[in-house]
Amino acid sequence: KPLGIAAAVAAASAGYVNVVNAQAVASNDLGDLALVPYYTVNGDWITGIHIVNTSDQTQVVKFRFRRATDSMDALDFNVIMSPQDVYAGFLNDDENGNISWNTSDTTCTAPAATGNALTMPSIYRTGAETGYVEIIGMGQADATQPISLAAIHVNDVPVSCETVRSNFFADGVAGTTKGVIDNATSHQSAFGTTIPAGDNTYTESSNALKVSYFIRDNATGVEFGDNAVHIEDFLSEPSITNQQFEIGRASCRERV
């Protein structure tokens, strides 16, 4: 069983090299795109992923699970990582057949996790026991931007994830304006930090993401893993888009 999964991972990795050879595969395991070639929740297997923001910029990172049957986007969300931040968690299924990303990490996500979990929508669940993962640097912001002031950790907790998430609501003109909730006015955080009003200025993400993964059988303890395949200079400009409507409205799934 472990050898079968390992062979699948090796084959997928080799395939990725062929697919992305038009762009630079990083030699130093850093990039603005990381490809995890295989995930699984079959049987007692879980898949863990670990991301490091190695830069001094706030990184907006797209986390996307694609199912193996047809490469459908089965679960995606944004992770907003402060400078030198680390974000980690694991994907598994439960007794009801739900597939969820689970983390105890405090780093801000958009949308917010429910009970430390982001669950795959049921309409994408069929055939999603296995697949692959794309982790994309969507853009970065320097320390003076409102989203950076809200995402920065104080005592290991972000200043205001609510304010961070307000930058991804699709409530503006024609559903395209970002930051129309909390950042429309200045915000005083629980730490006494003032987050000013105003839009954020983003630049394209630097090759700052370092991603690794593991696949573990919880029944036997068998585990293996590797670094992701890292691609340099995947996006040439910031590509941050709205993730959802304001709380109380239907969720909006966006695409890159």
Side-chain angles (χ1 to χ4, degrees):
K1 186 175 181 181
L3 289 176
I5 294 179
V9 173
S13 297
Y16 267 131
V17 171
N18 292 328
V19 169
V20 301
N21 61 8
Q23 292 185 280
V25 177
S27 59
N28 59 353
D29 289 327
L30 290 171
D32 63 343
L33 166 63
L35 301 170
V36 175
Y38 184 75
Y39 77 77
T40 182
V41 297
N42 274 325
D44 294 309
W45 294 91
I46 68 171
T47 301
I49 299 176
H50 182 275
I51 309 174
V52 181
N53 172 15
T54 65
S55 76
D56 59 0
Q57 304 276 303
T58 296
Q59 299 286 338
V60 178
V61 180
K62 169 61 64 182
F63 212 127
R64 176 177 290 147
F65 292 88
R66 291 192 180 274
R67 65 189 185 190
T69 51
D70 56 5
S71 291
M72 172 64 73
D73 174 3
L75 173 64
D76 75 56
F77 54 93
N78 289 330
V79 183
I80 299 84
M81 303 183 71
S82 59
Q84 310 301 321
D85 194 6
V86 176
Y87 179 76
F90 64 91
L91 191 76
N92 72 344
D93 61 356
D94 62 20
E95 63 276 9
N96 298 315
N98 297 311
I99 297 177
S100 298
W101 170 258
N102 303 271
T103 180
S104 58
D105 208 302
T106 60
T107 295
C108 300
T109 63
T114 301
N116 294 327
L118 289 153
T119 300
M120 190 176 292
S122 58
I123 59 173
Y124 303 111
R125 168 65 181 82
T126 302
E129 294 87 357
T130 61
Y132 60 97
V133 189
E134 299 170 340
I135 298 170
I136 308 169
M138 303 292 289
Q140 63 186 25
D142 66 36
T144 67
Q145 304 304 312
I147 193 171
S148 300
L149 296 171
I152 195 72
H153 287 64
V154 176
N155 299 328
D156 296 324
V157 179
V159 167
S160 176
C161 283
E162 181 182 2
T163 302
V164 168
R165 280 189 282 273
S166 77
N167 292 281
F168 300 92
F169 292 144
D171 294 304
V173 177
T176 59
T177 301
K178 301 183 290 293
V180 297
I181 310 300
D182 292 339
N183 280 359
T185 59
S186 62
H187 173 75
Q188 193 77 15
S189 78
F191 298 103
T193 303
T194 298
I195 304 170
D199 295 332
N200 296 290
T201 299
Y202 298 100
T203 58
E204 68 273 15
S205 288
S206 56
N207 297 309
L209 301 180
K210 183 175 181 62
V211 179
S212 59
Y213 67 95
F214 69 83
I215 297 174
R216 176 191 304 145
D217 187 338
N218 277 344
T220 64
V222 171
E223 178 180 320
F224 61 93
D226 201 351
N227 290 322
V229 178
H230 295 79
I231 308 302
E232 296 177 335
D233 304 322
F234 176 66
L235 294 176
S236 59
E237 60 183 11
S239 301
I240 296 167
T241 55
N242 300 307
Q243 181 73 21
Q244 65 179 138
F245 287 102
E246 188 182 358
I247 296 172
R249 305 188 186 186
S251 176
C252 174
R253 294 177 63 83
E254 49 77 26
R255 297 288 186 267
V256 177

